[in-house]
Amino acid sequence: MEAYKIKMEPGDFQVFEISEGISENPSGPYTVLKIRLNNWETNHFVSYLARYLGISRKRITYAGTKDKRALTEQYFCINAERIPERINIKDCEVVERFKTDRLLNLGDLTGNRFSIRVETDIEVEKIRESFMSIINSGGFWNYFGIQRFGSIRYNTHIVGEKLVKEGFESAVKEYLADPSIDTDDYRMNLYRDWNFSRGVKEFPEHLQFERAMMYELLAGKSYGEALDAIPRSLRIMFVHAYQSILFNRILDERKRILGNPLSVEIGDFVSPVDTYWNMDENRMIEVDSFNIERIRKMSEDGKVVVLAPLIGTNTSHQKGIPGEILNSIMEREGIEFKSFNIQGKPDLSSTGNYLGIRFIPVDFQLSDEKVVKFSLGRGIYATVVLDQIFEKLKSGLN
């Protein structure tokens, strides 16, 4: 048996958004709905909700995306005058409703509270011991979880890589069919000759984004225009996913060279963090020979976190070991900072960002029934917590 399993049923994996920054204003023009969803992927739900309300998808914004096989509570903001009191959509329940004067945007979250039922033969006390061992060793490495790269077709980052390196045609074709991951006849048939006329007949109706792309190509549109047939929130995820896989590789190298996520080196950037380990990107500090001892103490006290880049056009060169790691990853990938300027698509180009390399879960609890509960800051993956706990157990808690 595997070390552990999760997500046997959607209710086994529960996510509740924590948002302390959404202000209520009874006279505001926008309506916020806090919705409980069962087995809905966020982008598909937004498309369905827009059709149900008879409005453009662009009139609905949200704070965070969630995986399909989960029970979630999420905030959605609707820019429309008339919204029915009752929303009758399968596996959807409105649990809160209020007006606001500000549109909700992706990232407008404090964090998420998780409740996950774990299936494992390992004793509860051993799991707790593994968790404490990781905390005592500096905390968890802040990897992006597998959901970032596609939980059904593991290629979101590959689409992004092709966008950055090769262009629109390669990216669109990767999205439609990839023989290294696909086995469905309709995708494999398309891959053989890229006959889009046959493709729209064979692809199932629920694959609306793939079908929309092919219809655009059949209408004589370019591959870049075909990419525009899918929502921007999904398109930008391709580039973000590629940045995320590069971030994970930077963490791999750092882990190999330095071993401990608590390490602070000359050339690092650090940022203050809140209770949930959310960084403040406006207060980044570069570590040098003059401040390193003070910053190491602040890091040990959990007041600051070391950052690593999500590489983009505005990413800064770094000194010392962090710079060597960054340069080696970019050289290996054959990319430059300017590679993330997607020609003709400013909405897909990325200036980059920074993210903390470690975190500590808030209010960690584990019941005798092996239901684990904890809270994490925005963009931190619950599966990464479980992976590292069980990986530690596998390696003998050393």
Side-chain angles (χ1 to χ4, degrees):
M1 180 178 176
E2 298 175 22
Y4 78 98
K5 289 182 182 178
I6 54 174
K7 294 192 182 183
M8 285 68 71
E9 300 293 337
D12 294 337
F13 193 101
Q14 301 182 19
V15 193
F16 307 94
E17 290 185 345
I18 305 167
S19 189
E20 299 170 355
I22 306 177
S23 58
E24 295 188 35
N25 184 340
S27 60
Y30 311 119
T31 301
V32 172
L33 300 179
K34 185 178 182 181
I35 299 178
R36 181 175 294 133
L37 296 172
N38 190 355
N39 208 29
W40 273 101
E41 191 273 332
T42 303
N43 273 295
H44 281 94
F45 175 74
V46 170
S47 295
Y48 194 97
L49 179 62
R51 290 197 299 271
Y52 180 88
L53 297 176
I55 61 175
S56 165
R57 189 185 191 281
K58 294 178 181 179
R59 287 182 170 269
I60 304 175
T61 61
Y62 49 90
T65 57
K66 301 292 182 288
D67 203 13
K68 182 181 180 184
R69 290 199 60 77
L71 177 68
T72 69
E73 283 189 5
Q74 300 174 244
Y75 290 94
F76 297 89
C77 186
I78 303 173
N79 180 9
E81 291 184 7
R82 295 185 182 87
I83 302 170
E85 287 299 319
R86 290 179 58 83
I87 293 179
N88 188 21
I89 296 176
K90 187 175 184 292
D91 296 323
C92 161
E93 177 189 357
V94 177
V95 296
E96 190 177 348
R97 176 182 181 137
F98 58 89
K99 288 285 191 177
T100 186
D101 56 6
R102 187 178 68 85
L103 273 173
L104 195 61
N105 292 307
L106 200 61
D108 284 346
L109 282 178
T110 305
N112 296 283
R113 180 70 181 166
F114 296 89
S115 175
I116 306 167
R117 184 170 71 85
V118 180
E119 184 179 295
T120 180
D121 290 336
I122 297 172
E123 298 172 5
V124 167
E125 209 46 54
K126 287 286 185 185
I127 299 172
R128 290 196 184 106
E129 186 180 345
S130 178
F131 174 80
M132 288 310 303
S133 176
I134 292 171
I135 298 304
N136 293 335
S137 299
F140 288 79
W141 290 94
N142 192 18
Y143 285 102
F144 283 93
I146 191 172
Q147 306 96 310
R148 184 70 160 185
F149 313 113
S151 53
I152 298 175
R153 294 178 71 228
Y154 186 76
N155 74 331
T156 307
H157 58 297
I158 302 174
V159 177
E161 180 178 359
K162 289 184 180 296
L163 263 175
V164 168
K165 293 182 179 179
E166 299 175 19
F168 303 125
E169 181 175 349
S170 291
V172 168
K173 286 182 173 179
E174 173 63 33
Y175 185 75
L176 293 172
D178 181 341
S180 69
I181 60 171
D182 293 322
T183 57
D184 297 305
D185 287 343
Y186 54 86
R187 291 195 192 271
M188 297 311 298
N189 289 341
L190 181 65
Y191 180 79
R192 289 187 189 98
D193 57 12
W194 300 109
N195 184 327
F196 301 117
S197 180
R198 187 186 65 233
V200 294
K201 295 175 184 176
E202 294 184 349
F203 271 58
E205 290 287 338
H206 71 272
L207 296 178
Q208 54 182 306
F209 298 146
E210 287 92 334
R211 291 169 59 82
M213 280 180 164
M214 288 189 285
Y215 275 121
E216 291 290 274
L217 292 168
L218 287 171
K221 300 289 183 66
S222 68
Y223 282 97
E225 291 170 318
L227 196 63
D228 291 338
I230 61 177
R232 181 186 180 276
S233 58
L234 179 57
R235 296 198 306 272
I236 193 63
M237 281 180 65
F238 298 140
V239 176
H240 288 174
Y242 182 48
Q243 291 171 310
S244 301
I245 205 80
L246 295 176
F247 181 89
N248 280 2
R249 290 168 186 165
I250 290 171
L251 291 200
D252 282 341
E253 278 296 286
R254 190 167 182 117
K255 186 176 181 181
R256 183 183 67 82
I257 294 170
L258 300 174
N260 192 314
L262 197 56
S263 298
V264 178
E265 301 295 324
I266 290 175
D268 273 327
F269 293 110
V270 300
S271 162
V273 287
D274 65 16
T275 304
Y276 294 93
W277 290 80
N278 295 312
M279 59 168 283
D280 184 347
E281 59 190 37
N282 296 315
R283 297 173 62 193
M284 286 172 48
I285 304 165
E286 185 174 0
V287 179
D288 56 31
S289 58
F290 297 102
N291 62 17
I292 187 167
E293 293 306 322
R294 177 172 59 87
I295 289 178
R296 279 177 173 164
K297 179 67 169 61
M298 292 172 70
S299 177
E300 289 171 4
D301 293 341
K303 294 179 180 177
V304 299
V305 65
V306 170
L307 310 174
L310 291 160
I311 302 170
T313 56
N314 288 0
T315 300
S316 298
H317 290 279
Q318 290 182 263
K319 302 171 184 174
I321 292 174
E324 292 171 8
I325 292 172
L326 176 59
N327 293 339
S328 68
I329 295 293
M330 293 182 68
E331 185 176 338
R332 194 183 312 161
E333 287 289 313
I335 58 172
E336 302 175 56
F337 297 144
K338 65 182 181 181
S339 302
F340 289 86
N341 180 18
I342 311 297
Q343 293 299 316
K345 296 284 184 186
D347 61 325
L348 297 186
S349 299
S350 177
T351 57
N353 209 333
Y354 288 84
L355 195 64
I357 69 167
R358 77 177 184 114
F359 66 91
I360 294 174
V362 177
D363 298 329
F364 182 89
Q365 302 169 36
L366 177 62
S367 73
D368 291 339
E369 291 74 34
K370 296 175 183 174
V371 175
V372 59
K373 297 182 179 182
F374 50 83
S375 296
L376 300 173
R378 54 183 173 268
I380 303 178
Y381 289 79
T383 50
V384 166
V385 174
L386 297 176
D387 285 345
Q388 291 181 51
I389 286 173
F390 285 93
E391 183 184 327
K392 191 78 172 176
L393 285 163
K394 204 171 177 181
S395 64
L397 297 176
N398 293 322

